């Protein structure tokens, strides 16, 4: 069975210019992700898909396989995520895909290894044809953060969700219902199923809670600065 980590890294980024090549640790966000995934015991190869020759050359210099993607699949306006995922999966040959993003730079190798082992244990879907076996309820795995907060529904008429501040005693956040937020760090699914559904996960994903200090996601300049601060002060 072959397990492949996939990183997609396009040339341009709207919210954060040249995001994937921003300095991080001893390298940049792309380099840090390749290095971390390359140190995993459960991952056989790392593949970087990009429309940028510079990124592909850099990825290959770190031992990853570089796959050239067509421009149309790197354009968010012209190509929805589903088509992008389906196209990327058509460019590789493997059994299990571990989809990883450079924008979650704090996920450690041991966390990736734990997620892959849990996938193989919980999903039990790989039998050589990508079919579910063993009566598993799950068909994929996604990484999530546990969230227990006082949520409100907004709009013209706002009201609290999962708590009632107007009757009885105040409910502490720790006693509120447990909700889970998809953090985008890890998606695992059989290659066959990911090609078939052209999405990160199937209909019944197993929710894998990542360590709080690792799941930070970069979308903005502020996020990037915070992630660097966390890494430099708590990870090195």
């Amino acid at each position: 069975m072959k397990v492949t980590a996939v990183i997609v890294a396009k040339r341009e980024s709207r919210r954060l210019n040249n995001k994937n090549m921003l300095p991080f640790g001893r390298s940049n966000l792309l380099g840090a992700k390749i290095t971390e995934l390359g140190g995993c015991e459960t991952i056989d190869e790392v593949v970087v898909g990009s429309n940028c020759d510079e990124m592909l050359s850099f990825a290959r210099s770190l031992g990853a396989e570089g796959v050239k993607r067509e421009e149309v699949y790197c354009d968010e306006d012209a190509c929805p995520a589903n088509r992008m995922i389906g196209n990327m999966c058509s460019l590789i040959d493997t059994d299990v895909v571990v989809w990883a993003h450079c924008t979650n730079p704090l996920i450690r190798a041991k966390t990736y290894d734990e997620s892959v082992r849990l996938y193989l244990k919980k999903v039990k879907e790989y039998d050589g044809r990508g079919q579910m076996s063993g009566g598993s309820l799950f068909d994929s795995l996604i990484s999530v953060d546990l969230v227990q907060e006082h949520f409100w529904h907004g709009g013209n008429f706002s009201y609290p969700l999962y708590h009632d501040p107007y009757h009885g005693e105040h409910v502490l956040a720790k006693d509120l219902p447990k909700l889970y937020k998809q953090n985008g760090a890890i998606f695992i699914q059989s290659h066959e199923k990911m090609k078939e559904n052209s999405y990160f996960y199937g209909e019944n994903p197993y929710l894998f809670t990542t360590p709080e200090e690792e799941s930070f996601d970069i979308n903005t300049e502020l996020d990037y600065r915070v992630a660097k601060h966390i890494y430099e002060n708590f990870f090195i």
Side-chain angles (χ1 to χ4, degrees):
M1 179 178 63
K2 184 179 179 182
V3 178
T4 300
V6 171
I7 306 169
V8 291
K10 59 185 180 180
R11 181 186 299 108
E12 298 177 358
S13 177
R14 289 184 177 180
R15 287 182 288 185
L16 197 55
N17 187 43
N18 200 27
K19 177 174 61 179
N20 296 303
M21 300 297 281
L22 288 174
F24 196 86
R26 297 181 178 87
S27 181
N28 51 44
L29 288 175
L30 177 58
K33 185 58 60 179
I34 293 171
T35 300
E36 202 68 30
L37 290 167
C40 293
E41 297 176 354
T42 60
I43 292 174
D44 299 303
E45 67 173 358
V46 180
V47 176
V48 175
S50 180
N51 61 336
C52 176
D53 290 333
E54 178 188 355
M55 290 186 188
L56 292 175
S57 177
F58 174 71
R60 293 180 184 120
S61 73
L62 295 179
E65 180 182 345
V67 175
K68 190 67 176 285
R69 298 163 59 207
E70 294 180 38
E71 293 291 339
V72 65
Y73 296 108
C74 299
D75 185 344
E76 293 179 5
D77 290 331
C79 179
N82 306 75
R83 287 183 60 202
M84 178 273 292
I85 295 167
N87 171 256
M88 186 64 211
C89 285
S90 73
L91 302 176
I92 61 175
D93 182 19
T94 189
D95 296 311
V96 175
V97 174
V98 179
W99 196 286
H101 288 127
C102 298
T103 48
N104 299 91
L106 303 178
I107 300 289
R108 293 182 169 98
K110 65 179 182 180
T111 302
Y112 282 116
D113 281 333
E114 182 183 355
S115 69
V116 173
R117 292 184 180 115
L118 270 172
Y119 166 84
L120 296 175
K121 178 182 178 181
K122 296 288 186 180
V123 176
K124 301 176 184 177
E125 70 171 349
Y126 184 78
D127 63 0
R129 300 184 304 277
Q131 300 298 315
M132 291 180 67
S133 61
S136 174
L137 295 174
F138 308 106
D139 59 7
S140 49
L141 178 147
I142 65 174
S143 60
V144 296
D145 297 327
L146 170 63
V147 183
Q148 287 178 285
E149 300 289 351
H150 294 90
F151 288 106
W152 283 71
H153 181 278
N156 294 328
F157 178 68
S158 300
Y159 55 89
L161 299 176
Y162 310 115
H163 69 287
D164 184 354
Y166 307 114
H167 303 91
E169 296 181 355
H170 171 73
V171 179
L172 298 176
K174 68 180 182 64
D175 296 322
L176 288 170
K178 293 181 178 180
L179 301 177
Y180 295 91
K181 180 186 74 172
Q182 185 175 308
N183 59 36
I186 307 170
F187 301 99
I188 308 178
Q189 195 174 185
S190 75
H191 182 231
E192 182 173 326
K193 287 185 179 295
M194 192 171 278
K195 282 197 301 182
E196 179 184 317
N197 62 28
S198 292
Y199 203 56
F200 296 113
Y201 48 86
E203 295 183 357
N204 298 292
Y206 176 80
L207 304 184
F208 172 63
T209 305
T210 49
E212 184 178 2
E213 70 275 13
E214 295 183 30
S215 64
F216 197 85
D217 184 25
I218 296 174
N219 288 303
T220 65
E221 175 71 23
L222 177 60
D223 292 339
Y224 169 60
R225 292 178 180 272
V226 172
K228 283 188 67 177
H229 176 79
I230 294 173
Y231 179 77
E232 292 167 0
N233 288 275
F234 298 98
F235 279 65
I236 297 178

